[in-house]
């Protein structure tokens, strides 16, 4: 039985109690061994954490002025819902995120963005106190270089396939994807593991050997 009453409480618990290494360990044990996005996807600030449901977005490169600049970008932004994370991939020739996208998503109740590419407007994004994970900063504009071609569709980032509604969890150590069909079990087991690791650390700091502590608390 879960210890949270609704998804708001679940995501709050994740951000308060969990960290990506422990969740990744649980996913490995359960047979989901390719759930981390590439290591180059980093938070804009080290203290940023993100936990929410994926709204998947597919983009591609274009090479000049378009009949419809940005493609379906504004439509994708405008249909974001509470507790969702904008997750985008597919374009390489421009920044995929910036100040106005942050403001729009934040006002829709979205809880963060993860882009497999660059962001820009870094000071303006940071001023909104809203988590963004990206490959890094690059100011090149997307209007003549990038189109959103679909959203709420399966996408791939590195080794992981992401479906709309999967759980996105990110911190300083990386971003991972929890498949929605096992999300509650993974989160519950991760909370238990995190609590157990605190006991192991305390035992070691109190003088117990690593071998004894790992064995006593079921790490080995």
């Amino acid at each position: 039985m879960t210890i949270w009453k609704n998804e708001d409480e679940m995501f709050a618990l994740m951000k308060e109690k969990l960290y990506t290494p422990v969740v990744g360990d649980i996913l490995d044990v359960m047979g989901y061994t390719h759930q981390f996005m590439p290591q180059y996807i980093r938070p804009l600030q080290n203290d940023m954490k993100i936990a929410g449901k994926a709204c998947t977005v597919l983009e591609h490169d274009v090479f000049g002025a378009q009949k419809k600049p940005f493609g379906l970008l504004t439509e994708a932004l405008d249909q974001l819902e509470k507790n969702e994370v904008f997750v985008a991939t597919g374009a390489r020739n421009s920044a995929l995120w910036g100040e106005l996208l942050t403001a729009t998503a934040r006002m829709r109740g979205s809880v963060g963005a993860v882009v497999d590419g660059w962001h820009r407007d870094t000071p303006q994004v940071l001023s909104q106190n809203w988590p963004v994970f990206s490959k890094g900063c690059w100011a090149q504009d997307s209007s003549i270089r990038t189109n959103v071609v679909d959203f709420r569709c399966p996408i791939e980032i590195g080794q992981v396939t992401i479906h709309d509604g999967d759980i996105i969890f990110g911190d300083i150590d990386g971003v991972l994807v929890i498949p929605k069909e096992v999300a509650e079990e993974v989160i519950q087991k991760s909370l238990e593991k995190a609590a157990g690791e605190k006991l192991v650390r305390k035992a070691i700091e109190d003088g117990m050997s690593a071998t004894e502590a790992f064995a006593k608390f079921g790490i080995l």
Side-chain angles (χ1 to χ4, degrees):
M1 182 177 179
T2 60
I3 62 173
W4 57 86
K5 297 177 182 176
N6 52 53
E7 70 175 24
D8 289 344
E9 289 189 5
M10 182 183 76
F11 292 133
L13 272 172
M14 292 178 70
K15 292 177 72 174
E16 178 187 359
K17 302 289 188 181
L18 295 182
Y19 39 99
T20 54
V22 74
V23 180
D25 291 352
I26 292 296
L27 285 163
D28 282 348
V29 169
M30 292 176 61
Y32 296 88
T33 57
H34 299 92
Q35 300 308 121
F36 271 97
M37 295 186 192
Q39 55 83 27
Y40 59 71
I41 298 179
R42 308 289 302 158
L44 270 65
Q45 287 185 325
N46 287 341
D47 60 351
M48 286 180 171
K49 294 184 79 170
I50 196 168
K53 299 174 293 184
C55 173
T56 53
V57 179
L58 180 62
E59 311 195 24
H60 70 187
D61 294 327
V62 295
F63 303 95
Q66 302 296 296
K67 293 180 181 179
K68 181 176 171 55
F70 309 109
L72 299 175
L73 174 61
T74 57
E75 289 86 345
L77 288 167
D78 286 342
Q79 56 82 59
L80 281 170
E81 298 179 0
K82 179 183 176 183
N83 287 328
E84 288 192 327
V85 178
F86 186 100
V87 185
T89 190
R92 299 291 181 265
N93 290 337
S94 72
L96 303 184
W97 198 260
E99 175 186 9
L100 299 182
L101 279 65
T102 299
T104 303
R106 179 172 55 83
M107 295 305 294
R108 293 287 304 168
S110 172
V111 292
V114 177
V115 296
D116 182 20
W118 313 97
H119 75 274
R120 68 180 202 167
D121 306 323
T122 304
Q124 294 85 356
V125 171
L126 290 173
S127 72
Q128 298 183 58
N129 192 31
W130 193 83
V132 174
F133 288 63
S134 80
K135 189 175 181 178
C137 53
W138 188 30
Q140 184 149 276
D141 185 41
S142 62
S143 63
I144 61 171
R145 298 180 179 91
T146 302
N147 268 0
V148 172
V149 294
D150 201 1
F151 52 89
R152 299 201 180 280
C153 58
I155 61 174
E156 292 184 0
I157 298 179
Q159 65 179 348
V160 57
T161 299
I162 308 158
H163 296 90
D164 193 67
D166 285 345
I167 303 302
I168 305 298
F169 184 52
D171 60 18
I172 189 174
D173 284 325
V175 183
L176 55 74
V177 181
I178 307 172
K180 56 190 172 185
E181 61 270 18
V182 294
E184 287 194 356
E185 181 181 0
V186 169
I187 295 164
Q188 184 66 45
K189 288 181 176 180
S190 297
L191 289 166
E192 294 167 1
K193 180 176 173 62
E197 290 193 351
K198 286 182 172 59
L199 295 175
V200 173
R201 175 176 170 177
K202 185 177 187 306
I204 290 171
E205 291 175 342
D206 287 343
M208 188 178 291
S209 72
T211 301
E212 185 181 2
F214 278 38
K216 177 176 180 179
F217 293 100
I219 302 296
L220 294 177

